Amino acid sequence: MVIIIPLMKSVTKKKKMADSKYTWSVITTKLLISHYESHEMLYNSKHKDYKNRNKRLEIYKEIAEAINVIQEGCTGIDVRKKLNGLRSQYLGEKMKILKSKKSGQDGNDVYTPTAYWYPLLSFLDSSTAADKSVSNFDSLVSETQNTDFEELLEMKQTHSSDTWQLSQAFLEAGKQFIPSFLTKIRGPYAFIYADMRNLLLYFGRDRLGRHSLLWSTDCEGGLVLTSVGKKNVLDLKEVPSLGVFMVDLNLPDIDFVTLFPWSDISSETLSLVEHEYTIKIKVSDHVIQSPLMSFSGNNQVSHISLCVMEQYKSEFLERNDEFRNLVEMLLLDSNIKTSIDKLILLLRNALQVRVETQPGICKMCLGESSTCDIHYSSEELVYRMPNAKLSQAPCIQSERKKDCSGTVSGPGVKIMCLDSTGASSTSEICQKQMNNSHFQQHCQHSKIGILFSGGLDSTVLAALANDYVPLNEPIDLLNVAFEKEQSVSRKVKKKILKEPPDEERNTFSVPDRITGRRALDELKKHYPHRQWNFVEINITQDELKRERKRIISDLIHPLNTVLDDSLGCALWFASRGKGCMKLEDGSDFPYSSPARVLLLGMGADELLGGYRRHRTALQLKGWTGLEQELKLDMARISTRNLGRDNRVVSDHGCQGRLPYLDESVVSYLSSLDPWERCYPIPAFPPGVGDKLLLRLVAWKLGLHYAAGLPKRAFQFGSRIANSKEKASDISDKL
């Protein structure tokens, strides 16, 4: 997505005048609507052929041929565009009716559509809404108090696209309502909306900045907006997550942009805005209600006093207890127990909406639907694919076996290799091709992946996600390790080559690999009916060198510190998902994760005091200093982390999901005092005081191993970064 706004707007007008299209008359429009009503598959999302693109195109052509009898020149494309336009206009008219009713007008003043086609389209009212799995719109909206917006949700009868629905809502909102409208939205987004009626351009990111949006004024005086971009092309910067920006296209020049700030952005931050960016920003007095609401009333948890925590600290030190005894002692406190239960509930809700509202088909089935011949029965799926694609096989059940013919099979799934001619070694393959709807109905492969180090954050996500992923679908645990460069003598190298590698000599036996395997054992113990795919992603130094420059240049910038470099590259290889799994006989099975949703633990350290600097802030400036450090981390997370993460993960066709940064989770944790989230005092070493509240959550879930693991930076745990490098230094890898 790239938007370039030039100083002159005549180019757009000329292009619009040059477009030619079919001229619809009243007669041809009525005939079109008549044919439209007779083909239910075009508007009823529950129709078995609703998603069949080929059939849809055939019907468009048939309708065009019928219309050409009356007035020539109509094509299938003209039919499609006209129907989409009529459908949009019809919904717009319905919204106007509802708005006039809600405004308190009597029966005589209720808006009445005058368009001749309006009553002809009434059959659309009975069409059913599309499957929720196709759209994440419901996951973005919660607890709205705007009646017009609620009515819009009730009218999701002909469109499942959240983008389309928001566009229609913006269209009806008018000039002043558009920025305020976004306060009703929950979840990650970045948007650019051109209000051509008023010649205004709006753009921005969600309050936490979870999606990527970059801008630059280094384009011959114009403004460039883009979701990705090369480092050496433009001086791109992250669009700050401060509110909604607006450009007035009525003005001859773009001298400034207007910012409608979120209500919880501090005045100090806003006072610095004009000096931090190359483009002039005018802060509006009209603020937007932030979706990060402070907890109050029934949502408020009894706060834990600092003296209570000091008492537990004293008992812990006097008895010289272990971590287990401290945790069990804290769990007996009613206020602490209430805080734990509240956080578990909020995390469950965040996981549920992110796991359940996603396309019900994996990347494997989606990609192979047009190239594989598949026969489905209640007992097995048989894939016909070239031998070279065996490494991209979908998830295979734990009882998988491997025979000499190259067939890998298990209950429910059978993958068969073909020779170079495409001939199969068995007669079970059926030449009937399945369309995407069949794949979506029967796809039982992994659709959820977790960036899994075996640490506290990722293990808690895995345990909670287990409750919302169907038991017949595996969950991929993606564990990344980078080969360590070793400068050893030739004599030592020969000795290593002669001896069988063990756990200590294995160049990929990094800290995250070791903790990952132990955490996997704990997950298997508590959730034995789930198939956990522990995917070992091993990156050699040669492969890292080949990919590193492009990743940094195209995806990670504008920040290019050692930390950004390391985290970005590690996340890129993880989202690619190419690795191997251990079979029961100990051999490696090449595996490419087909998951389309990647659960990430970003935000946990910033919210719950997981970094070393939090411990330092407490030691130097007390609890007030720690509180300020936590606020600073959340204020800069959008520009330092999240835009980069979104670009990196999306590069492989995955969507990153961040449960710890759900608005409800952030609102709740931000309402707690710092000592209620963490207690990083010297008496509580790393692995105890940092992220203490989340450690208590893990312990209550039965994850005792993960609960006591000290924080380890991902770049060092995966061994991509050198411990001698300073994280804040500019990367020298370009």
Side-chain angles (χ1 to χ4, degrees):
M1 174 182 65
V2 179
I3 299 292
I4 301 178
I5 309 168
L7 296 180
M8 301 296 293
K9 297 182 280 293
S10 58
V11 177
T12 305
K13 295 180 179 179
K14 289 180 180 178
K15 185 178 184 302
K16 187 173 182 180
M17 292 174 62
D19 293 340
S20 61
K21 58 183 180 180
Y22 184 75
T23 303
W24 292 90
S25 65
V26 175
I27 296 177
T28 54
T29 302
K30 287 184 176 181
L31 180 60
L32 172 68
I33 295 175
S34 176
H35 283 283
Y36 185 30
E37 183 177 8
S38 64
H39 292 90
E40 187 180 359
M41 66 159 286
L42 293 180
Y43 58 87
N44 188 347
S45 61
K46 294 299 183 181
H47 194 280
K48 62 183 182 68
D49 294 324
Y50 179 74
K51 297 177 183 178
N52 191 322
R53 183 174 180 271
N54 293 331
K55 286 189 177 182
R56 185 180 293 270
L57 294 177
E58 290 176 2
I59 293 177
Y60 289 152
K61 291 179 181 179
E62 291 177 5
I63 297 176
E65 291 174 0
I67 292 175
N68 282 328
V69 174
I70 299 176
Q71 182 179 324
E72 294 183 352
C74 184
T75 66
I77 296 177
D78 294 322
V79 170
R80 176 178 60 82
K81 289 183 177 179
K82 183 64 174 177
L83 289 179
N84 288 340
L86 285 171
R87 209 159 38 182
S88 300
Q89 293 176 62
Y90 181 76
L91 181 57
E93 294 293 286
K94 296 284 288 186
M95 289 182 62
K96 289 179 182 178
I97 295 174
L98 290 172
K99 287 177 67 176
S100 65
K101 289 180 179 179
K102 291 293 183 179
S103 64
Q105 297 173 344
D106 56 36
N108 295 328
D109 294 330
V110 171
Y111 175 78
T112 302
T114 58
Y116 67 89
W117 44 258
Y118 179 80
L120 302 178
L121 290 169
S122 59
F123 61 88
L124 292 177
D125 294 340
S126 60
S127 62
T128 55
D131 192 335
K132 287 184 179 180
S133 65
V134 181
S135 171
N136 68 339
F137 191 72
D138 289 325
S139 69
L140 298 178
V141 184
S142 66
E143 301 177 357
T144 176
Q145 296 179 353
N146 185 278
T147 56
D148 294 335
F149 191 50
E150 291 174 345
E151 290 153 4
L152 173 63
L153 296 181
E154 295 173 0
M155 298 174 64
K156 295 190 308 174
Q157 298 168 343
T158 59
H159 289 271
S160 62
S161 168
D162 51 358
T163 302
W164 183 91
Q165 293 177 67
L166 286 173
S167 177
Q168 289 301 303
F170 284 164
L171 187 63
E172 295 297 323
K175 181 177 179 180
Q176 298 299 325
F177 182 60
I178 289 177
S180 300
F181 181 82
L182 292 173
T183 190
K184 307 301 178 183
I185 307 297
R186 301 291 184 271
Y189 64 84
F191 81 99
I192 302 173
Y193 175 72
D195 179 4
M196 300 310 296
R197 184 168 51 187
N198 299 299
L199 286 180
L200 299 173
L201 184 89
Y202 297 93
F203 61 94
R205 302 162 70 191
D206 66 80
R207 173 62 183 85
L208 295 169
R210 287 161 287 187
H211 275 188
S212 170
L213 190 61
L214 305 167
W215 63 357
S216 173
T217 55
D218 188 19
C219 185
E220 299 182 356
L223 173 66
V224 176
L225 298 171
T226 177
S227 54
V228 293
K230 286 183 175 292
K231 177 179 176 61
N232 58 355
V233 175
L234 293 169
D235 184 24
L236 293 167
K237 304 293 183 184
E238 303 274 2
V239 173
S241 299
L242 301 175
V244 178
F245 293 89
M246 184 192 75
V247 177
D248 191 344
L249 300 178
N250 294 287
L251 301 177
D253 298 318
I254 305 176
D255 293 330
F256 65 91
V257 297
T258 301
L259 169 63
F260 299 97
W262 297 111
S263 58
D264 58 349
I265 302 296
S266 66
S267 57
E268 292 80 9
T269 300
L270 294 177
S271 65
L272 297 175
V273 165
E274 296 184 1
H275 308 288
E276 290 186 358
Y277 301 96
T278 56
I279 190 169
K280 184 177 180 181
I281 300 176
K282 179 181 178 181
V283 180
S284 172
D285 293 333
H286 177 75
V287 299
I288 315 170
Q289 181 60 51
S290 171
L292 301 180
M293 303 294 292
S294 60
F295 273 61
S296 59
N298 296 331
N299 291 325
Q300 189 165 355
V301 178
S302 300
H303 282 264
I304 305 163
S305 66
L306 185 57
C307 62
V308 169
M309 290 302 300
E310 285 294 310
Q311 177 184 346
Y312 287 123
K313 180 199 74 172
S314 301
E315 292 185 22
F316 176 74
L317 292 175
E318 289 174 3
R319 294 161 49 184
N320 196 23
D321 277 335
E322 296 181 352
F323 178 62
R324 171 187 294 272
N325 296 328
L326 171 66
V327 170
E328 292 179 350
M329 181 170 57
L330 292 173
L331 289 175
L332 295 176
D333 187 285
S334 59
N335 289 338
I336 295 177
K337 184 177 181 299
T338 302
S339 298
I340 296 170
D341 292 340
K342 183 65 179 180
L343 182 54
I344 290 178
L345 174 63
L346 293 173
L347 285 175
R348 286 189 185 279
N349 293 339
L351 261 299
Q352 181 177 11
V353 73
R354 284 158 178 79
V355 169
E356 293 183 349
T357 53
Q358 48 93 12
I361 180 172
C362 71
K363 289 194 293 186
M364 182 70 187
C365 287
L366 183 64
E368 296 294 336
S369 61
S370 59
T371 58
C372 291
D373 295 320
I374 296 177
H375 169 71
Y376 175 81
S377 68
S378 60
E379 298 178 353
E380 69 177 6
L381 281 174
V382 181
Y383 280 75
R384 180 177 184 236
M385 61 180 66
N387 192 25
K389 289 193 176 181
L390 179 59
S391 63
Q392 297 179 356
C395 308
I396 298 178
Q397 304 296 329
S398 57
E399 296 87 352
R400 60 181 72 82
K401 298 179 181 179
K402 196 172 185 179
D403 59 32
C404 58
S405 66
T407 299
V408 184
S409 61
V413 178
K414 192 172 185 179
I415 303 172
M416 308 169 66
C417 304
L418 308 179
D419 58 27
S420 58
T421 64
S424 172
S425 59
T426 177
S427 60
E428 292 181 283
I429 293 181
C430 176
Q431 298 299 318
K432 180 179 179 181
Q433 190 176 40
M434 294 180 68
N435 58 28
N436 280 356
S437 61
H438 253 156
F439 272 88
Q440 186 167 342
Q441 182 179 357
H442 302 300
C443 174
Q444 297 181 358
H445 313 135
S446 175
K447 305 172 189 65
I448 301 294
I450 301 176
L451 182 58
F452 191 76
S453 65
L456 175 64
D457 309 340
S458 59
T459 307
V460 168
L461 290 184
L464 295 177
N466 174 76
D467 294 340
Y468 304 106
V469 177
L471 274 180
N472 61 345
E473 295 181 8
I475 295 178
D476 288 351
L477 306 177
L478 307 175
N479 186 272
V480 184
F482 290 86
E483 182 183 32
K484 184 177 181 180
E485 287 185 302
Q486 297 180 349
S487 56
V488 295
S489 64
R490 293 183 179 180
K491 186 176 181 180
V492 175
K493 284 184 177 180
K494 289 181 179 179
K495 183 179 179 181
I496 292 176
L497 290 174
K498 289 180 180 179
E499 297 180 3
D502 55 22
E503 190 70 16
E504 295 297 324
R505 258 185 220 104
N506 189 342
T507 57
F508 294 107
S509 183
V510 301
D512 281 358
R513 179 62 46 80
I514 298 171
T515 57
R517 288 171 178 165
R518 290 196 60 180
L520 171 66
D521 292 338
E522 195 166 46
L523 289 173
K524 286 181 176 180
K525 174 185 176 182
H526 291 287
Y527 312 101
H529 301 296
R530 168 73 60 196
Q531 179 183 327
W532 301 97
N533 290 335
F534 188 74
V535 185
E536 298 182 355
I537 302 174
N538 298 331
I539 311 301
T540 65
Q541 285 295 324
D542 289 340
E543 186 175 13
L544 178 60
K545 290 176 182 177
R546 286 197 306 269
E547 303 289 351
R548 196 168 201 159
K549 185 173 182 179
R550 190 195 74 80
I551 298 172
I552 297 173
S553 175
D554 295 358
L555 300 173
I556 297 180
H557 79 286
L559 292 176
N560 285 293
T561 65
V562 170
L563 179 63
D564 298 310
D565 173 5
S566 303
L567 289 176
C569 289
L571 187 56
W572 188 86
F573 284 108
S575 57
R576 187 179 67 171
K578 292 184 178 180
C580 64
M581 294 191 300
K582 294 287 185 183
L583 299 181
E584 293 178 354
D585 60 2
S587 61
D588 290 336
F589 175 72
Y591 183 84
S592 182
S593 172
R596 301 184 67 186
V597 176
L598 196 60
L599 296 178
L600 305 173
M602 281 66 175
D605 290 300
E606 288 80 0
L607 284 165
L608 290 151
Y611 293 122
R612 185 183 300 174
R613 61 176 176 268
H614 296 135
R615 186 175 291 270
T616 302
L618 178 61
Q619 292 176 356
L620 297 178
K621 301 179 181 179
W623 290 107
T624 301
L626 174 56
E627 184 175 24
Q628 292 301 318
E629 190 69 28
L630 291 170
K631 289 181 178 179
L632 178 61
D633 277 347
M634 288 306 298
R636 63 190 178 188
I637 192 173
S638 63
T639 54
R640 294 189 63 175
N641 303 80
L642 302 183
R644 171 203 68 201
D645 298 341
N646 180 244
R647 292 189 292 275
V648 169
V649 173
S650 300
D651 196 48
H652 291 296
C654 290
Q655 271 296 323
R657 294 290 181 250
L658 315 173
Y660 291 111
L661 290 176
D662 180 89
E663 282 85 352
S664 295
V665 175
V666 174
S667 298
Y668 169 62
L669 290 176
S670 299
S671 71
L672 298 179
D673 289 317
W675 57 82
E676 298 178 277
R677 301 185 242 173
C678 59
Y679 214 77
I681 58 175
F684 289 171
V688 180
D690 51 313
K691 295 190 288 191
L692 180 58
L693 180 57
L694 189 60
R695 296 185 186 281
L696 296 175
V697 166
W699 192 275
K700 187 166 185 177
L701 294 175
L703 307 173
H704 294 178
Y705 171 71
L709 280 177
K711 165 68 180 177
R712 182 173 55 243
F714 183 51
Q715 65 270 27
F716 301 132
S718 62
R719 209 159 57 187
I720 183 177
N722 190 327
S723 59
K724 296 180 181 179
E725 294 179 305
K726 189 176 180 181
S728 59
D729 288 343
I730 299 299
S731 174
D732 60 356
K733 301 301 189 297
L734 286 174

